[in-house]
Amino acid sequence: MKVALVGATGMVGEVMLKVLEERNFPVTKLIPVASEKSVGKTIFFKNEAIEVVSMQEAIDMQPHIALFSAGGNTSLEFAPKFAAAGTTVIDNSSAFRMDADKKLVVPEINAEELTPEDKIIANPNCSTIQLVMVLHPLNKKFGLKRVVVSTYQSVTGTGKNAVDQLNAEISGDADAAKVYPYEIFKNALPHCDVFAEDDYTKEEIKLMTEPKKILGDDSFNLTATAVRVPVQGGHSESVNIEFENDFDIDEIRNILSETPGVTVLDDVQNKIYPMPLYADGKDEVFVGRIRRDRSQPNTLNLWIVADNLRKGAATNAVQIAEYLVKQDLV
Ligand code: 2RA
């Protein structure tokens, strides 16, 4: 497979390279693509130094698959050009996620929707992916009525500059470059992405819309608050779920334990619960603190943690590519 990687020098792009190697994806030629200023730089893949090329050079090489993680504007401009040249694009930006004619895919949930005609496939937002991996099996069994999610999101979700800001603030560098409107160290910012309509942020709107498309179910209500915290290993989410039907806690645990890609870490007496410190570098979605919400019937509280750069972005995208290859869709 000829695989283009657009955004190869970014934080997610670097993880995509690592995941492609780890999973031994059948790459016959890797085509790293980055902004004009990075053309000519070298990246390493399978111990081989490969030169970064321009977008047009990559399109002209007609890759089978192009993995994009270079921002929405780049995706909007160049994903259609790759697709027109016959390449199947898997885009990690928000550019196409809610387009009616584009598929929004978490392979464990809805990969079977994919067809050879899907030339631009959207990779969901990181905080969405970990949420729906848990909601999907529970929705099938008990029916979702209302979901309230509060996130505690890693600075890695904003990119390298945000990680640099945090580390500079920790080391007391008064001149640290500011990515966020305030200091992030010793702080929590209820401000992920930009504010849109109704004083919700775009991150919260993604969390309130993408899950319904992925689950193929808009019968339930969903509200979200997204918060940035000085963490690097992954995103955490506190989730309150009201079901249409009652449930048994042990049955909840069993269902989640048997869900591919989900790992239950839930033994509070022994201080076992999901944490970004543990999730960092792993592909599983970890769930714990599973307990009944006694304030109302048929309602559950739980805690979900996942590495937002891996299952939240790079691994999910590569899993989509694996599905395309396995089903001969590319
Ligand atoms: C964030 N989910 O965490 C967004 C984009 N990666 O900032």
Side-chain angles (χ1 to χ4, degrees), residues 135 139 142-147 215 220 241-244:
L135 291 183
N139 187 32
F142 305 109
L144 298 175
K145 185 173 182 180
R146 184 171 187 259
V147 178
L215 299 177
F220 62 98
I241 309 170
E242 180 184 3
F243 295 105
E244 295 290 354

Side-chain angles (χ1 to χ4, degrees), residues 10-15 69 92 125-127 130 152-167 179-180 184 192 203 227-236 276 279-281 306-310 312-313:
M11 207 157 204
V12 171
E14 288 173 356
V15 179
S69 191
N92 190 48
N125 189 40
C126 40
S127 46
Q130 63 188 75
Y152 306 76
Q153 300 188 211
S154 165
V155 293
T156 56
T158 310
K160 288 180 179 176
N161 292 340
V163 174
D164 291 345
Q165 175 180 342
L166 173 59
N167 291 331
V179 174
Y180 299 118
I184 185 65
C192 293
E203 187 75 8
V227 180
R228 188 77 59 193
V229 291
V231 161
Q232 295 195 39
H235 291 349
S236 304
D280 190 10
D307 184 330
N308 55 293
L309 298 178
R310 289 189 67 105

